[in-house]
């Protein structure tokens, strides 16, 4: 197909050459040429360019779709400093069988999004928060990490280089996945001698197959996502494969996902497989306190601030699963899922139903969040980073 031929085409030579130098002058020049290349990659919705990606934006789910470029760099010295990164065509990478990430799971990932606004501008949402969270995770996993500025610049470059893949307003977003992993060879249990920081992207729509329909969750009392003293509070790659069995079991029974309990008392809710959870009772919005077993999501933080601004009382605390029975409303948040209402939760064989109505608190919060992301509502907190 024509688009496959386009994806395999070699990148302009001057991009690769300029990225090999590191003087301040050439770094600026490099960013200029990168922007020039990205400018020619116009999205289908705004151009008749024959090289527009052939995508049915209305049917966009959360499946992986290869885009054009990825950003990559490695740490260059024993101090853990990372080299000036470069944009390469998206392709497979070479990795030793003895790489630290393959043998001992020494790796982290982040998730953020680029949006196309109604005026045609492109923006990111709070990427510095992702950079800081990766740094916290890297400290926990004994890994060097890129600076906040280098992280944000890498995300910007990746978004711009793939901007023709950013869906039209209201059709989705460009999901950007930064990775940090031990790429150096290691046999004994120890930190890897070399690390790679890589950023790739894919256009996405709704995370769950239900789309915007309410989620049906299952409280699993046998499987646990994290334990005290572990790495549940950071975005380690090791946190996700262990929950696949629980997710599969739940989906085979018709549920959307799993809500996990704490592993010690087995009575406090923690989070869903890939998102945080909130419980609403009157004007009080509660979410499980982040105490090392819960990932502090960027969307979670943002929703908490928005809720306070809208006059709600927000609490971070231990929430017993029994409280779900009397809750007015329950919803999930995450970069991938956005803000998703929960229609039911099944706990100890009892199915708890929640009324789904137009005046849901989560819909009001989500509407404000999306309004800020798309530029409809004034960004008074400097959350938005314009990239074009």
């Amino acid at each position: 197909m024509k688009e496959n031929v386009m994806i395999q085409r070699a990148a302009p030579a001057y991009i690769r050459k300029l990225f090999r130098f590191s003087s301040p002058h050439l770094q600026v020049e490099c960013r200029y040429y990168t922007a020039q290349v990205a400018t020619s990659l116009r999205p289908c919705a705004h151009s008749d360019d024959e090289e527009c990606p052939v995508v049915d934006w209305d049917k966009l789910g959360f499946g992986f779709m290869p885009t054009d470029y990825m950003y990559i760099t490695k740490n260059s010295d024993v101090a853990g400093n990372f080299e000036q990164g470069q944009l390469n065509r998206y392709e497979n990478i070479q990795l030793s069988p003895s790489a630290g990430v393959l043998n001992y799971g020494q790796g982290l990932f982040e998730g953020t999004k680029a949006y196309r606004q109604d005026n045609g501008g492109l923006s990111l949402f709070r990427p510095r928060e992702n950079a800081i969270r990766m740094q916290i995770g890297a400290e926990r996993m004994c890994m060097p990490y890129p600076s906040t500025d280098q992280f944000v610049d890498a995300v910007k470059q990746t978004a711009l280089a793939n901007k023709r893949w950013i869906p039209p307003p209201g059709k989705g977003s460009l999901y950007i996945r930064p990775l940090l992993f031990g790429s150096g060879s290691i046999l004994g249990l120890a930190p890897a001698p070399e690390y790679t920081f890589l950023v790739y992207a894919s256009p996405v729509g709704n995370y769950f197959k239900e789309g915007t329909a309410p989620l049906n969750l299952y409280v699993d009392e046998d499987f646990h996502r994290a334990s005290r003293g572990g790495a549940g509070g950071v975005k380690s790659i090791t946190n996700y494969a262990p929950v696949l069995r629980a997710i599969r079991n739940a989906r085979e029974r018709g549920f959307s996902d799993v809500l996990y309990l704490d592993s010690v008392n087995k009575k406090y809710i923690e989070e869903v497989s890939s998102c945080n959870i909130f419980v609403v009772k009157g004007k009080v919005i509660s979410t499980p306190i982040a105490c090392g077993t819960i990932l502090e999501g960027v969307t979670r933080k943002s929703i908490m601030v928005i809720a306070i601004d809208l006059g709600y009382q927000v609490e971070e605390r231990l929430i017993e699963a029994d409280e779900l029975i009397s809750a007015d409303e329950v919803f999930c948040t995450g970069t991938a899922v956005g803000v998703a209402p929960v229609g039911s939760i099944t706990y100890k064989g009892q199915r708890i139903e929640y009324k789904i109505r137009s005046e849901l608190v989560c819909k009001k919060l989500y509407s404000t969040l999306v309004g800020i992301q798309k530029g409809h509502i004034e960004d008074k907190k400097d959350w938005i980073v314009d990239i074009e």
Side-chain angles (χ1 to χ4, degrees):
M1 293 178 64
K2 189 172 186 178
E3 65 180 281
N4 291 334
V5 174
M6 172 196 67
I7 291 174
Q8 295 300 321
R9 189 174 299 161
Y14 55 78
I15 293 181
R16 297 180 181 274
K17 289 180 180 178
L18 283 168
F19 271 110
R20 293 194 183 107
F21 296 89
S22 60
S23 72
H25 173 70
L26 286 178
Q27 287 177 18
V28 172
E29 189 176 15
C30 176
R31 286 194 289 271
Y32 169 78
Y33 279 115
T34 302
Q36 290 300 303
V37 173
T39 301
S40 69
L41 304 178
R42 292 169 295 196
C44 204
H46 299 270
S47 169
D48 292 324
D49 193 313
E50 65 178 4
E51 293 191 345
C52 283
V54 181
V55 178
D56 186 345
W57 300 116
D58 292 322
K59 296 182 179 179
L60 196 60
F62 205 85
F64 176 66
M65 185 180 298
T67 52
D68 299 319
Y69 293 95
M70 63 182 185
Y71 174 101
I72 191 166
T73 182
K74 295 185 178 182
N75 65 314
S76 56
D77 54 42
V78 293
N81 297 315
F82 281 81
E83 303 167 350
Q84 174 68 33
Q86 67 180 33
L87 286 173
N88 292 341
R89 296 298 289 191
Y90 181 85
E91 58 188 1
N92 293 337
I93 61 173
Q94 290 188 337
L95 198 60
S96 168
S98 57
V101 66
L102 297 180
N103 290 265
Y104 299 113
Q106 197 180 21
L108 297 161
F109 74 89
E110 276 297 327
T112 187
K113 288 180 176 178
Y115 301 88
R116 188 177 300 281
Q117 300 183 349
D118 290 340
N119 62 6
L122 305 178
S123 63
L124 303 171
F125 184 72
R126 306 190 73 179
R128 296 183 71 85
E129 290 294 321
N130 296 95
I132 293 170
R133 187 169 65 178
M134 176 171 276
Q135 293 167 11
I136 294 172
E139 290 282 358
R140 175 65 178 82
M141 305 289 283
C142 295
M143 304 166 69
Y145 49 81
S147 68
T148 301
D149 288 341
Q150 185 173 19
F151 180 101
V152 174
D153 184 60
V155 170
K156 286 181 179 179
Q157 288 191 42
T158 304
L160 282 172
N162 296 296
K163 74 173 187 177
R164 69 196 187 98
W165 295 92
I166 302 179
K171 300 296 183 180
S173 57
L174 185 70
Y175 185 83
I176 301 173
R177 172 63 63 84
L179 299 170
L180 178 64
F181 56 91
S183 51
S185 296
I186 191 76
L187 186 59
L189 180 56
E194 176 192 82
Y195 296 86
T196 296
F197 175 55
L198 185 152
V199 186
Y200 70 92
S202 175
V204 298
N206 291 313
Y207 180 79
F208 290 104
K209 68 177 183 179
E210 292 90 342
T212 57
L215 305 178
N216 297 305
L217 303 180
Y218 175 75
V219 178
D220 198 316
E221 299 178 78
D222 297 320
F223 291 95
H224 297 283
R225 178 191 168 274
S227 60
R228 292 182 183 178
V234 300
K235 210 164 177 64
S236 167
I237 62 174
T238 57
N239 290 337
Y240 295 86
V243 303
L244 295 178
R245 177 68 178 273
I247 296 173
R248 185 183 69 180
N249 292 348
R251 289 180 178 171
E252 286 176 349
R253 299 172 60 185
F255 297 103
S256 308
D257 210 330
V258 176
L259 173 58
Y260 300 92
L261 301 177
D262 76 288
S263 62
V264 177
N265 301 289
K266 299 184 179 181
K267 67 176 183 178
Y268 299 109
I269 63 173
E270 292 205 324
E271 62 179 289
V272 182
S273 301
S274 59
C275 48
N276 297 120
I277 192 163
F278 287 80
V279 177
V280 182
K281 185 68 175 178
K283 293 289 289 184
V284 179
I285 301 176
S286 302
T287 190
I289 187 169
C291 53
T293 58
I294 295 172
L295 186 70
E296 295 190 66
V298 176
T299 306
R300 173 182 180 272
K301 287 183 177 181
S302 304
I303 287 296
M304 291 169 67
V305 172
I306 291 172
I308 293 172
D309 288 346
L310 293 180
Y312 292 94
Q313 178 182 334
V314 176
E315 298 179 343
E316 291 184 86
R317 62 179 178 85
L318 295 175
I319 302 175
E320 291 193 22
D322 289 337
E323 294 184 48
L324 297 170
I325 299 173
S326 60
D328 296 333
E329 179 183 336
V330 177
F331 62 91
C332 297
T333 66
T335 298
V337 306
V339 178
V342 174
S344 75
I345 297 178
T346 298
Y347 175 51
K348 291 186 179 298
Q350 178 183 357
R351 185 180 176 94
I352 308 164
E353 302 274 357
Y354 302 101
K355 293 182 179 179
I356 303 301
R357 54 195 187 280
S358 59
E359 64 272 19
L360 284 176
V361 172
C362 71
K363 290 187 176 181
K364 184 186 302 184
L365 297 173
Y366 187 48
S367 177
T368 303
L369 176 67
V370 172
I372 295 172
Q373 291 172 337
K374 294 185 176 180
H376 301 160
I377 297 176
E378 182 183 358
D379 173 26
K380 298 180 180 180
K381 305 181 187 301
D382 293 326
W383 286 352
I384 301 301
V385 176
D386 294 321
I387 56 176
E388 186 178 80

